[in-house]
Amino acid sequence: MKKKILVVFLATMIIAGLTACGEKDGSSATNSGSAVDQESTDSNEDGADEESAKTSSSEEPVTFQFVQAQPEYQTAAQKLIQTYMEEHPNVTIELITNNDNLKTDLQVGNIPEIFYTEGYGNLKEYTDYITDLSDQDWVENILDNSLDAVTMDGKVYGFPTTLAGEGIVYNKKLFKEKGWEVPLTFSELQALCDEMVAAGITPFVNEFGDDWLLGQLLSGGGYTYIPDTQEFTDKLYAGEVTFADNEQMKGLFNVIDLMLSYGLPDSLSYSWNETCSAFATGQAAMTFEGDWIWSTVEPIDPEIECGMFPVPVSDNPDEAKLLVDTNMVLHIGKGSKEPEAAKEFLNWMATSDTAREVLLQDYQFVPCFEGWEYEGTNQLAASTKEYMSSGKASLWWWQKWPDGFRANAGQELQKYISGDATADETLKAIDVLWGNMAN
């Protein structure tokens, strides 16, 4: 879900509560206090080709834009901005909560000071619009497992915000009550589903109405288990291998078939909101999703206990790995009006104790910087940390795919789920899609 509003939060405003449900669904947001609604952004007019010398430490008023569209972070983003503006009274930060037209805005010169991508291959997609940040002091504190996500050609172009995990989210309380163990193999998962059905419990609610989520299952249920995944990825770009001829990708459909067989009916009607609601209210015991749904699930049932485990795709328990990677990379817009003030904001995020408190306790980030420790209450993020610490984590990989491929591949998987294509036809269609988007 992406909120369809742009709100300018002034330093004197009273932060209102904001409920956000769903990542890709539409929703509404209400705000109280002093605010100005805008329908368009003209951040780059009047001197867009010059870097402004105005900074947050000067007395001269300065305004810049911060794109933050993820619903799970909206309330935290408001608090972060409010905290900064209270410490820097000459600064006004415009929070943009809809990035649907980001590429178009960039191309026509409406460049926000701070926007985000998923890093990795996106850096090349946005190379004309992102600023080299290699000289910033906080760069030396980026954790090694996040550095690759923000680096291109040996230079750092982004600020990594959090590490996030994705796998099968499960009702931990229910598992305890029934004496069920987390399955480590595909056979164990199937046996567990049979036990659940025998107990009158539906195993899965499937968020298959969201193409982006299915694109991520393409990775978590198959792609990430390809031996030497980086080599396979390189060969895909070179046109030397295909999805259709890969055994792990063929095996993906075993996972999808199991989820469909043991899931609530009409999976294609379930998007973020419906899935989180069904899981949180006990309509199903498991769902494939990420630790970011905690902020949606927990308010529905504050007493819920849940965890997360990898998608088991084989009967080798050592193969199962949770998908863990850097989620949301912030960039300074090249050609924006106030890049120096925006850099100071990022520096404040990296070094200020008050910023760290918001990032760790309100955003509940799993830190990407040395010396930071996770302080949140997100039970799913705790699972992410656990698998990271045990060395049982793998890259997401979809961030290394062509921009837009994940969602488009998810749409091809939806055709399989609806019965309009076979597994072989689906993989061949995904190959055609790759060929069109990778070149």
Side-chain angles (χ1 to χ4, degrees):
M1 177 193 69
K2 296 170 182 174
K3 307 265 170 56
K4 306 298 183 182
I5 57 173
L6 164 66
V7 184
V8 181
F9 293 93
L10 303 181
T12 57
M13 75 171 283
I14 299 174
I15 294 183
L18 176 65
T19 301
C21 293
E23 180 167 277
K24 305 295 178 182
D25 292 314
S27 76
S28 62
T30 60
N31 300 276
S32 63
S34 178
V36 178
D37 289 342
Q38 301 180 356
E39 293 185 357
S40 63
T41 61
D42 298 311
S43 64
N44 200 41
E45 62 182 32
D46 299 329
D49 58 345
E50 298 179 5
E51 286 204 352
S52 171
K54 288 188 288 186
T55 66
S56 56
S57 59
S58 69
E59 294 183 0
E60 188 175 359
V62 57
T63 298
F64 64 85
Q65 298 177 329
F66 177 23
V67 178
Q68 172 64 82
Q70 293 98 325
E72 65 268 31
Y73 297 140
Q74 293 302 307
T75 302
Q78 294 178 39
K79 184 172 182 179
L80 185 72
I81 286 172
Q82 175 68 12
T83 301
Y84 187 78
M85 292 193 299
E86 288 175 350
E87 294 183 12
H88 305 82
N90 65 307
V91 176
T92 299
I93 300 177
E94 299 176 354
L95 179 64
I96 303 175
T97 57
N98 173 24
N99 68 344
D100 285 345
N101 299 316
L102 177 61
K103 276 193 170 181
T104 300
D105 286 339
L106 293 173
Q107 290 168 355
V108 300
N110 293 334
I111 303 175
E113 279 72 17
I114 300 175
F115 65 92
Y116 69 92
T117 71
E118 294 181 332
Y120 292 105
N122 283 176
L123 301 183
K124 291 186 178 180
E125 295 282 343
Y126 291 86
T127 187
D128 293 334
Y129 309 106
I130 56 179
T131 301
D132 181 2
L133 300 172
S134 303
D135 61 347
Q136 299 299 295
D137 292 341
W138 44 262
V139 168
E140 64 183 15
N141 295 322
I142 298 175
L143 294 176
D144 289 343
N145 52 5
S146 289
L147 193 57
D148 188 33
V150 299
T151 302
M152 177 175 62
D153 299 330
K155 297 180 180 180
V156 172
Y157 285 90
F159 182 105
T161 59
T162 184
L163 290 160
E166 186 171 35
I168 295 178
V169 176
Y170 70 101
N171 187 320
K172 185 179 288 188
K173 182 184 294 186
L174 180 63
F175 271 53
K176 289 179 182 177
E177 292 173 354
K178 299 296 184 179
W180 295 331
E181 299 291 332
V182 169
L184 300 177
T185 67
F186 184 81
S187 295
E188 289 178 4
L189 177 60
Q190 190 165 27
L192 173 62
C193 288
D194 287 333
E195 288 187 49
M196 290 181 175
V197 171
I201 297 168
T202 301
F204 280 99
V205 54
N206 299 306
E207 191 180 331
F208 291 168
D210 283 331
D211 52 17
W212 60 270
L213 191 281
L214 274 169
Q216 291 173 193
L217 182 58
L218 182 74
S219 175
Y223 195 93
T224 195
Y225 293 104
I226 296 173
D228 200 341
T229 318
Q230 184 59 61
E231 180 182 356
F232 181 83
T233 303
D234 293 340
K235 288 183 176 180
L236 263 180
Y237 275 103
E240 298 174 4
V241 294
T242 66
F243 287 91
D245 291 330
N246 182 268
E247 292 304 313
Q248 283 75 27
M249 297 314 306
K250 293 177 183 178
L252 166 69
F253 294 90
N254 295 330
V255 174
I256 294 176
D257 288 346
L258 181 144
M259 291 179 172
L260 289 172
S261 297
Y262 292 98
L264 291 172
D266 198 14
S267 290
L268 290 174
S269 70
Y270 284 82
S271 294
W272 174 295
N273 289 339
E274 295 83 3
T275 301
C276 289
S277 178
F279 175 75
T281 56
Q283 296 177 48
M286 299 179 290
T287 188
F288 176 76
E289 250 294 359
D291 58 24
W292 46 80
I293 68 168
W294 174 253
S295 62
T296 302
V297 168
E298 192 267 344
I300 298 174
D301 179 9
E303 303 300 318
I304 196 169
E305 296 178 21
C306 51
M308 187 164 52
F309 61 86
V311 178
V313 299
S314 74
D315 283 334
N316 181 355
D318 295 330
E319 284 187 356
K321 294 183 184 296
L322 195 74
L323 297 180
V324 179
D325 217 324
T326 303
N327 184 27
M328 190 173 67
V329 173
L330 301 180
H331 305 285
I332 301 295
K334 184 191 297 183
S336 59
K337 292 178 66 176
E338 306 293 350
E340 296 307 314
K343 286 180 183 178
E344 287 197 6
F345 179 70
L346 291 189
N347 184 66
W348 175 81
M349 286 178 60
T351 60
S352 166
D353 289 340
T354 53
R356 181 179 300 196
E357 181 178 342
V358 175
L359 295 172
L360 294 181
Q361 296 183 14
D362 293 275
Y363 276 93
Q364 299 210 22
F365 280 164
V366 176
C368 295
F369 290 90
E370 294 178 1
W372 293 39
E373 295 295 333
Y374 178 67
E375 298 178 5
T377 58
N378 183 334
Q379 296 176 18
L380 299 176
S383 292
T384 298
K385 288 282 292 180
E386 178 184 343
Y387 279 95
M388 287 175 57
S389 299
S390 64
K392 295 181 179 180
S394 172
L395 293 178
W396 286 346
W397 288 105
W398 65 76
Q399 292 173 311
K400 296 193 175 188
W401 296 342
D403 189 33
F405 175 79
R406 172 183 51 176
N408 282 276
Q411 292 169 19
E412 295 301 330
L413 290 174
Q414 286 175 331
K415 295 175 185 177
Y416 172 79
I417 292 166
S418 66
D420 294 326
T422 66
D424 184 58
E425 289 170 343
T426 300
L427 288 178
K428 288 179 178 178
I430 290 175
D431 279 322
V432 172
L433 184 67
W434 181 279
N436 293 334
M437 301 186 75
N439 299 321

